[in-house]
Structures are given as C-alpha cells and as structure tokens.
Amino acid sequence: MSTKLLVLSAALVVAVGAALAFALWPRDEKPAPPRSLCFGTVDERTAALLDDGPGGRIDMDEFERKGKGDFAFFRSCIARRDNPGGDGTRTTYSIVMQDAKSAVGKPKGSVPLGDGFAGWVLPGRAEAQLPAGCAARTGSTAPYLSVELDVPFQEEKRNVVDRETAVRTSSTVLREVMTNLARNLGC
C-alpha cells in the first residue's frame, strides 16, 4: 500500500471519529423559553398551574374586539383541553380583559389578591383591576381595566382541588396576567 493511500485512510478515520465525537458529545442545552399565551400576558409554565387532570393537548383560543368610548377594549382567551378518549373538549380556564365603568367589588368568601393588586380570588373565579388611567392607554373612556379569571374545575362544589391550592394557583396566574398586561400597555 502506498504511503499516500495510508495517509488518506488515516485522515478519513480521524475525520469520521471527530464527527462522531462531536455528534455524540453531551451538551448543556438550555430548555426552550416558555411560550407566551393570552396576548402575551401569561407564560405556559404559569398557566400549567391550572392543570385540570387527564386529557390531551391544550389549545388557546384568543379573541379581541376593538370599539370606541366605553368598552373599547376587550380580549378573551379560552384554554380548551381534549377529553380522554377523544370525545370532545372541555374549558380548562378562561381569561377576559376588558374596560369597566366601576371598581371591582369583593364577593362574600373571597380572598384579597394582595401584593398591591386591587382584586379578589375564589377557588373557581378571580377578578382584578389595573390602576385608574390604564384604560385610557387602550382608547377607552372607561376609568378601569378589569381582568377576570374563570377556572371551572376549581369550583368548590366540584371538589377536584382543595380551596387553598385553588386560591393560590388562581392568584399566581392572575397576578402574572395583571403585571404583564400593565407592562404591555405601559401603565
């Protein structure tokens, strides 16, 4: 065998070995950043706290309506999950953001949202409002922007999630929605 062929064969073996080592070498890959849901107000990791159990994938339907004057701002997001066995879908949770003429009330038995947020939480439902003046940034003449979170499977009568967990997860999700909505609107 000629030295030329021997050198070429050795170079080929080294190149193949290097390519295999590169392909199989463990890497410190960073996980993909969480996907932003509901008009950029909540990331999918936070929304995953509202897990209603078995079933398939979750789809997010987003709807936006623009108007004039009062009620010029309306955004709605509905998370639906495929039922086990493929027999339809169910609503996991919904978020409605809209301008409002009056300040948020406090239903009997609700817990304050806390952390400087004007709002309340019940196991299956929560509501909060952005500070007065934020609505004007949307073109609305109403004084407030209200955000409602509805989580049907967390309602106390369904007894799927204990009250403390339901209130804590709904509070976490609603605070993130409020924080990001205020940031997105610049108020």
Side-chain angles (χ1 to χ4, degrees):
M1 191 167 179
S2 74
T3 46
K4 213 181 215 184
L5 268 174
L6 192 57
V7 170
L8 283 173
S9 297
L12 183 60
V13 168
V14 169
V16 168
L20 279 172
F22 179 76
L24 299 175
W25 195 266
R27 295 183 181 93
D28 293 331
E29 292 184 20
K30 295 179 183 176
R35 190 172 55 133
S36 182
L37 305 172
C38 195
F39 299 98
T41 59
V42 64
D43 76 44
E44 67 183 337
R45 284 187 216 155
T46 303
L49 294 172
L50 302 173
D51 183 10
D52 68 342
R57 63 185 170 78
I58 291 182
D59 286 325
M60 177 69 70
D61 293 329
E62 296 178 344
F63 174 76
E64 181 175 24
R65 181 187 73 228
K66 295 182 183 197
K68 295 179 181 176
D70 291 349
F71 308 111
F73 182 80
F74 179 88
R75 291 179 180 171
S76 172
C77 308
I78 300 174
R80 291 189 175 90
R81 181 188 296 270
D82 293 341
N83 287 325
D87 60 339
T89 62
R90 66 186 179 274
T91 298
T92 302
Y93 63 90
S94 64
I95 300 170
V96 175
M97 299 170 266
Q98 62 187 347
D99 42 4
K101 290 184 178 184
S102 60
V104 65
K106 186 176 183 264
K108 182 179 178 184
S110 64
V111 175
L113 187 55
D115 293 335
F117 291 96
W120 53 267
V121 183
L122 287 169
R125 198 161 162 257
E127 184 177 1
Q129 284 182 325
L130 288 174
C134 286
R137 293 192 173 271
T138 67
S140 175
T141 58
Y144 303 101
L145 280 181
S146 174
V147 177
E148 297 175 30
L149 172 65
D150 186 31
V151 190
F153 76 92
Q154 287 188 165
E155 292 174 355
E156 287 182 286
K157 65 183 177 192
R158 294 197 180 182
N159 204 24
V160 174
V161 179
D162 66 273
R163 179 180 173 83
E164 185 178 313
T165 301
V167 166
R168 185 177 56 249
T169 57
S170 291
S171 295
T172 300
V173 171
L174 188 56
R175 277 198 223 59
E176 183 169 312
V177 170
M178 297 299 289
T179 300
N180 290 331
L181 180 60
R183 186 194 70 233
N184 293 349
L185 296 174
C187 56

